[in-house]
Amino acid sequence: MEKVRILEIKQSVFANNDRQAELLRRELKERGLFLLNLMSSPGSGKTTTLTRLIEALAGELAIGVMEADIDSDVDARTIAKTGVKTIQLHTGGMCHLDAAMTRQGLEGLDPGALDLVVLENVGNLVCPAEFDTGAVKSMAILSVPEGHDKPLKYPLMFQVVDAVVINKVDVMPYFDFDLEKCTEYIRLRNPKAEIFPISAKTGQGVEALAQWLKNQVKTWKET
């Protein structure tokens, strides 16, 4: 039987992406631009949370948003109503963005004098966690209806982020969701992650999240 040649391409793809991501981060640093990679599963409340953050940071930071979806521009139109600079990214069927795609998005957005750009990644708890986008920080949103065990089921997502938002705490009495357990599981995956229980619908906890993000942007610009 003939031997079949096997090419291990996954590692090289990731390695090249990591190099591109580091290059992009250096360029962002030179420009004084902070890029946040926002990830979650569909329906967790990414767009609503982002809208709340934009409202909370109005007058504090000049913000731009890149909305990534496989198709449609529903979220981009929603964010555009807040008045911030917005662009829609279509991934052509891919379930994530990588550093090269992020760079294209930034060029299309033309951030100019913006302080903060938020990349709302494709709704997925698997693929987006595997690819470094070149963002300065990454944040995941986990909503109460998804269950408190998600950090156990999707470990990489919670390992690679700097902050975890636990959204929809206003409906916690109606779901079998244990906030203490969820926090424990997040800490198990990532002891350094900041954790913010919020309700994007009511605004509960959003102020603390906005303050954290404002501090991150300030530190990035000053160091």
Side-chain angles (χ1 to χ4, degrees):
M1 178 180 289
E2 286 189 26
K3 278 192 173 182
V4 176
R5 187 182 179 196
I6 299 174
L7 299 179
E8 296 291 346
I9 63 168
K10 187 175 181 181
Q11 183 177 356
S12 63
V13 168
F14 285 153
N16 179 63
N17 183 69
D18 289 346
R19 286 192 295 270
Q20 293 300 318
E22 282 303 321
L23 177 60
L24 179 55
R25 255 188 297 276
R26 288 199 296 270
E27 293 173 6
L28 291 171
K29 183 67 173 177
E30 291 170 1
R31 296 166 67 177
L33 179 62
F34 189 99
L35 176 62
L36 176 70
N37 180 23
L38 182 61
M39 300 178 284
S40 78
S41 59
S44 66
K46 281 198 303 299
T47 304
T48 307
T49 299
L50 183 50
T51 300
R52 283 286 190 178
L53 279 173
I54 291 169
E55 292 171 354
L57 293 169
E60 301 278 351
L61 297 172
I63 302 172
V65 175
M66 299 190 293
E67 287 285 346
D69 276 302
I70 292 173
D71 203 353
S72 91
D73 62 353
V74 174
D75 292 339
R77 284 189 280 109
T78 299
I79 293 298
K81 291 177 183 177
T82 67
V84 302
K85 199 169 188 178
T86 309
I87 190 172
Q88 179 71 56
L89 308 179
H90 283 166
T91 63
M94 298 183 71
C95 60
H96 67 276
L97 280 110
D98 58 21
M101 297 161 74
T102 302
R103 180 185 292 280
Q104 290 180 53
L106 285 169
E107 290 171 356
L109 182 67
D110 188 20
L114 295 180
D115 301 303
L116 166 67
V117 172
V118 180
L119 169 61
E120 186 175 334
N121 216 316
V122 180
N124 191 319
L125 286 179
V126 182
C127 303
E130 296 180 338
F131 288 84
D132 189 342
T133 60
V136 180
K137 297 288 182 179
S138 293
M139 179 188 295
I141 300 179
L142 165 64
S143 65
V144 165
E146 295 175 75
H148 58 258
D149 58 353
K150 283 297 181 291
L152 299 181
K153 295 182 176 180
Y154 301 92
L156 184 60
M157 174 60 72
F158 295 90
Q159 288 167 6
V160 302
V161 296
D162 302 283
V164 178
V165 174
I166 301 174
N167 190 26
K168 305 185 183 181
V169 295
D170 53 307
V171 299
M172 201 153 46
Y174 308 103
F175 290 88
D176 184 20
F177 186 93
D178 189 324
L179 182 58
E180 187 175 331
K181 276 290 183 185
C182 186
T183 301
E184 177 188 333
Y185 296 153
I186 294 169
R187 295 276 183 239
L188 178 66
R189 298 302 185 193
N190 188 347
K192 295 181 180 180
E194 298 282 350
I195 300 174
F196 298 94
I198 75 162
S199 168
K201 182 178 181 180
T202 67
Q204 177 186 344
V206 173
E207 185 177 343
L209 177 59
Q211 185 62 51
W212 174 83
L213 185 53
K214 186 167 66 172
N215 290 343
Q216 295 299 312
V217 174
K218 181 180 179 182
T219 300
W220 175 251
K221 285 176 169 289
E222 293 179 351
T223 55

